[in-house]
Every structure is written in C-alpha cells, then in structure tokens.
Amino acid sequence: MIKNEEFQDEIGDNHVSLSAQNPIREDAFALSDDDKIEKIKKDVENILQTLGMDLTDDSLKGTPNRVAKMFVKEIFGGLNPNKKPKASTFDNNYKYGEMLVEKNIIVYSTCEHHLLPIIGRAHVAYISNGTVIGLSKMNRIVEYYAKRPQVQERLTMQIVQELQQALGTEDVACVIDAKHLCVNSRGISDIESSTVTSEFGGKFKDTVTRREFLDYIKLETKF
C-alpha cells in the first residue's frame, strides 16, 4: 500500500487534477485582505529564517511584506469572487454566425502542486447563438481563473464553462499551451517541453468545426 504522503507526492509530480473546482474552504474570505497579508508575511519570514537568510539585510527586509501582498493582491487575486469580471454581453446585431477566435491570450498562473509559475497562451473561440461578448472580457475571464493556484486542465475547463454560461451556448472551445516551471526548472528539468490542454463544447465536438479552430490557432506558440 502506498503511504499517504507518497501518494500525495505522486499526484503533485504527475500534475493530477482531482476536481473541476478549486479546493477553496468555506471560510476562505473570513479574513480581510490586510489580515491575510499580515499572516502570510509572518509565514514568509519564518520560511526565510529557516533557510538561514538574514532578514536584517536591506535587500531582504521588505521581502516578506512584498511576497504577502503579491499573493493576496496579485497572483492569487482570482480566488476572490469580488474580482470576478462582469461578462458584458450584447445582442448579435450583425448576425455574425461564424466562429470567433481570440488567440494568444497570455496566461500567467501558478501550479498548485509546487507554487511555481505556469506561463503560456490561451486560445478561445465561440459561435454565437444570438449573443456576443466584448473581446477584452474573454481576456479578463482567462486572467481571473489563472490568478489562483491551478491545474491546467481545470483552468481550461473553467474558462469554457464561464463563457458558456455568459453566452448561453455550449459552442465554446479553449486550448492552452503552457510551460510549467515545476517541470522546466525542477524535477526532470526539461526546459523545452510544454503542456497542451483543450476543452471543446457543443459544435466544437464536431471534427470539422474543431479542425477549423485548430487551424486558426496552429499551436505555433512561442514563449
């Protein structure tokens, strides 16, 4: 029988996603952002001191506070539902019925297994059934779900599900091509590999429609 700790390490090293939803506790927002920053600041101080760093050095004095603010206000800001972008939609007055593709949306996320960066690009498409969404909102939806501890498969699904709900259609697709620094900078240390995930809904499950979308994006992503 595999010990629980070994099992958890295996899940993390293999980047397994166990849920389509982020594992957030019910009391996640009981503390204010300022309270969270103070608690995280002390934790970062403890980590650096344990590693043997001299926190009286001018270069390190502000690091715990900077890291704490970055966690709460920036790279994990997508955990806060108050920051969820309003998906402004409009009637499709132009009667445009073909595929709309927004490609090369920059993704900056954080692997929830090692808290190291995920850096890549998302390609998102939908076919209107009478409703359209502002182009910048597609970028903001990607950014919102990326700014949290993530697994790439989950992130891909969440983007599609959010757009399906906003647009009132199943005809949404997303492909993400990204580098994981937990693979590139540690472990196997393969600096060239990237991970591609996809989620296809509605008409995009059809081979011809899916092929059209993939031809548009061509997956020639460069970082």
Side-chain angles (χ1 to χ4, degrees):
M1 180 179 292
I2 300 176
K3 293 181 180 178
N4 189 48
E5 186 173 339
E6 293 176 353
F7 175 68
Q8 291 170 347
D9 283 345
E10 185 175 354
I11 288 175
D13 285 335
N14 287 287
H15 307 278
V16 176
S17 176
L18 300 180
S19 172
Q21 302 296 323
N22 295 92
I24 301 174
R25 298 197 324 269
E26 291 184 2
D27 64 346
F29 307 104
L31 295 176
S32 69
D33 283 357
D34 288 341
D35 289 337
K36 289 180 179 180
I37 288 170
E38 281 303 309
K39 287 177 69 69
I40 294 171
K41 176 181 174 181
K42 293 175 182 177
D43 291 333
V44 176
E45 285 177 352
N46 184 52
I47 290 170
L48 293 175
Q49 287 173 344
T50 301
L51 290 171
M53 305 300 291
D54 180 6
L55 295 183
T56 65
D57 185 271
D58 287 340
S59 179
L60 288 173
K61 280 181 180 178
T63 297
N65 190 59
R66 284 191 294 267
V67 171
K69 287 172 62 178
M70 176 185 68
F71 277 11
V72 175
K73 299 287 189 179
E74 298 177 63
I75 67 173
F76 297 143
L79 291 171
N80 189 340
N82 292 329
K83 295 185 177 182
K84 184 176 180 179
K86 293 182 179 179
S88 303
T89 57
F90 311 91
D91 291 337
N92 184 10
N93 293 325
Y94 294 109
K95 306 302 180 184
Y96 180 74
E98 299 299 319
M99 187 184 307
L100 186 146
V101 181
E102 182 85 355
K103 65 180 186 177
N104 293 321
I105 301 172
I106 297 298
V107 172
Y108 286 112
S109 192
T110 304
C111 168
E112 70 181 32
H113 300 125
H114 294 94
L115 297 186
L116 286 172
I118 299 171
I119 304 170
R121 296 175 188 268
H123 314 284
V124 182
Y126 73 89
I127 300 171
S128 174
N129 70 346
T131 301
V132 296
I133 191 169
L135 295 180
S136 67
K137 297 302 182 184
M138 298 168 72
N139 298 61
R140 293 185 186 280
I141 287 169
V142 171
E143 180 185 46
Y144 173 69
Y145 285 103
K147 287 189 176 300
R148 53 182 68 182
Q150 269 292 15
V151 176
Q152 188 172 322
E153 299 95 320
R154 180 197 295 136
L155 173 60
T156 311
M157 294 170 64
Q158 289 174 334
I159 293 167
V160 168
Q161 290 168 3
E162 183 65 27
L163 282 168
Q164 287 174 329
Q165 182 175 358
L167 291 162
T169 178
E170 292 294 309
D171 303 333
V172 179
C174 178
V175 171
I176 296 178
D177 184 1
K179 286 183 176 290
H180 293 237
L181 265 66
C182 49
V183 173
N184 302 141
S185 68
R186 60 158 298 281
I188 192 65
S189 298
D190 182 348
I191 64 172
E192 293 296 331
S193 66
S194 66
T195 300
V196 178
T197 51
S198 61
E199 179 76 4
F200 301 106
K203 294 178 181 178
F204 287 94
K205 292 183 181 294
D206 176 75
T207 302
V208 175
T209 305
R210 183 188 308 171
R211 184 71 261 166
E212 181 184 354
F213 171 50
L214 296 176
D215 283 344
Y216 276 130
I217 66 175
K218 295 189 183 300
L219 281 184
E220 293 178 354
T221 301
K222 294 183 179 179
F223 303 94

